[in-house]
Amino acid sequence: MGAKRALSNRFTPAGPFAQAERELDRRDRVLREEHPDTTALRHRAHYLSEIGDLAGAVDVSEQLLAARVRALGEDHPQVLTTRHNLANLRGRAGDAAGAAEAFERLALDMERVHGAGHTNTVASRRAAVRWREEAEGGSRGSE
């Protein structure tokens, strides 16, 4: 049975499906409206990271984050993902303390947006701990 036919079945509750379809349409529209320069920034940051220019990837990712915040707002899932990627890049570029601070702030926002038990919230907390331990010289097990 096709999706359209299943959705039009008179025994299928239309409310949740119609709401989900509207949300997907809204997200698709936002993504289509993302400026091509923003897409280019995303690709550029990825490329720089892949070739080992982590400082360059951080710079470009900061530009990408600013553009996405302007276009999508602070709490949009893509903005939160961009913040996660940027924090990770900071750590990989040698700024473990900066990565830890960024992940600590991100974990608070993830919890506010998604809840304490959400996978992304938990991942942000774990990353914050990991980068904090690295920033402090891995001293956790030495006491």
Side-chain angles (χ1 to χ4, degrees):
M1 175 182 282
K4 287 249 189 225
R5 193 166 147 204
L7 291 174
S8 66
N9 183 332
R10 64 185 171 118
F11 298 109
T12 303
F17 293 112
Q19 182 179 355
E21 189 171 271
R22 283 192 302 273
E23 177 63 18
L24 289 172
D25 286 345
R26 184 188 68 74
R27 287 183 184 181
D28 286 346
R29 186 176 61 254
V30 168
L31 293 175
R32 281 192 307 271
E33 292 171 359
E34 188 173 28
H35 196 278
D37 289 347
T38 305
T39 303
L41 287 171
R42 183 169 41 90
H43 290 287
R44 179 94 176 129
H46 178 75
Y47 171 75
L48 291 171
S49 172
E50 288 295 310
I51 65 167
D53 183 358
L54 298 175
V58 167
D59 290 342
V60 173
S61 293
E62 287 172 341
Q63 296 170 38
L64 173 62
L65 177 60
R68 283 194 164 163
V69 167
R70 279 192 305 275
L72 304 171
E74 291 281 342
D75 294 337
H76 190 278
Q78 284 194 340
V79 171
L80 297 173
T81 297
T82 302
R83 288 177 57 195
H84 177 96
N85 293 341
L86 176 56
N88 195 47
L89 279 171
R90 282 189 198 292
R92 290 178 49 217
D95 184 7
E101 290 169 15
F103 274 117
E104 289 162 356
R105 287 189 308 272
L106 179 60
L108 293 173
D109 291 338
M110 287 286 194
E111 183 171 348
R112 181 177 47 77
V113 172
H114 297 297
H118 191 274
T119 304
N120 293 344
T121 304
V122 172
S124 296
R125 280 196 202 111
R126 286 182 180 158
V129 168
R130 175 195 179 279
W131 287 112
R132 181 62 59 206
E133 287 175 355
E134 185 163 324
E136 294 172 356
S139 62
R140 182 175 166 172
S142 63
E143 293 179 336

